Amino acid sequence: MAVMDTVVALVEGAVQGKRGRGSRRGTISWKGIPFAAPPVGEKRWHAPEPVTPWPGTLECFDYGPAPVQEKLFTARASGRFQPRSEDCLTLNVFAPTTESVTPRPVMVFNYGGAYILGGTSTPIYDGSYLARSRDVIVVTVNYRFGPFGFLDLSDYSTPERRFDSNVGLRDMIAGLEWVQRNIGAFGGDPDRVTVFGESAGGSAVLTLLSTPAAQGLFSRAISQSPAPELIVSKENAQIFADEFVRLVADPTRRRGPERTEEPLDPADVARIVDGTSAHELLRIGNKLLGFARAANLSNPMPFAPTVDGEYLPQTPLDAARDGNTLPVPTIIGNNKDEGELFARFWDIMPDAAQALVGVDDPEIKMELELLYPGERDQVRMSADATFWEPTIRFAGYHSETAPTYVYRYDYAPAVLNATGIGATHATELLAVFGIYRDPIGVGLAAAGSWGSTKRITATMQSNWTWFARKGVPSPAWPAYRKDDRRVMILDDPSRVVRDPDGARRAAWERVHVPAAVLVEATR
């Protein structure tokens, strides 16, 4: 079989990649390919613009800079961090070394990080193992986040200074457009593109399914552990933008926006934000996170896609309910112990009491409290309210538009089970990307779980890539429908269960779905 050349001619210019060595032997990677012009200077808060073609051959041997964030979150190894820059719109392609007779399926990954951190250089997102073991093309895409990607300043636009909404979401779509233009040069099939992501990346997949501009750019979707309600209303986006600019102008500011405050002048806004360094904008963004938590708004996170009525017309849940999501086959699911990561290491989820805010019916509230009786159940209640319940709701809606496959990921290696962390948030990524055989994951496998980690990796990669090829994950995995609610429990071994945790699902459904609709559904 012919061997691929490391030099590939793209629409924008030629790129040279590197052949993998050691455990990555049998692959080629092209890293740090620019897919849009640098969003710097007055292109801050602009939709991504076409990259300037380059002469000659661009060496794409290492990842591009990470988006602007705290240095801690850019670690690549002990004491080694990825450089950070606003000039971050690059992507990476991982492919098998050999050429294929027919075009290979393409899997495009969006990372997680609550829309405030992340980057493709994070070691767990190395696409080499998945590409080689399952004969697919893997693409990982950098996108802007935090104030640089999801602060909506569009109300302050003037003819002289434009601010676009949802630029982080537009980055993802620009990455998918690049795939349509160029993936054939790597042996990929532009008609079989699967977009997948985890956590905020999984939420982004649901948002892409709800974004008209994404029509035709992908043919399958996989959403891993999304928080479907991680979204910002236009009204709250205006509050966050106003407070952010006032904080930039006066970093000592101690109070939030008041009705008596004078409206901001758009010309002043442009002068203030354009004259501020990226480091300072990041610092102010961190202060805005604190403001959002204290402001008691319906959207507690200020940085997420904004329902602006134009680029993003509806929330993903509303779009799915109304039949307006793209008719794309979708895998969607959560991890059994989703909340343990946050309870132990990253306190950003609402606690159990906050999860019940808005449950006005005392009977339903009591029912939910009885369904989560133990101390650890309080962690699960919080995670269910944030991740699982809205995910199941989205799946039920979207299943009426396109085939939908629901999973619960139950597998955990022995060491994570022993600590009580279990199958927590993001642990399925170790299996999807084949990281249990990489130095960063091998310790978990070697501690009594060598065989089971090999089997769960095969299970996850087989389901994910067969779905990328055929649009169905497995003959043994039935589609989800609201009349039977069959869910694949991904474990060692896997099994199909009808409506797992059905009592909890039904109780949450009574919170969010009008009683008249529930009565009609039971007829």
Side-chain angles (χ1 to χ4, degrees), residues 411 413-416 427 430 436 439-450 452-453:
Y411 176 79
V415 66
L416 294 187
T427 51
L430 294 164
Y436 280 120
I440 66 171
V442 72
L444 292 173
S449 300
W450 196 254
S452 63
T453 55

Side-chain angles (χ1 to χ4, degrees), residues 86 119 179 205 229 260 290 416 453 501:
E86 290 184 84
V179 168
V205 168
E229 294 173 312
T260 57
L416 294 187
T453 55
D501 295 314

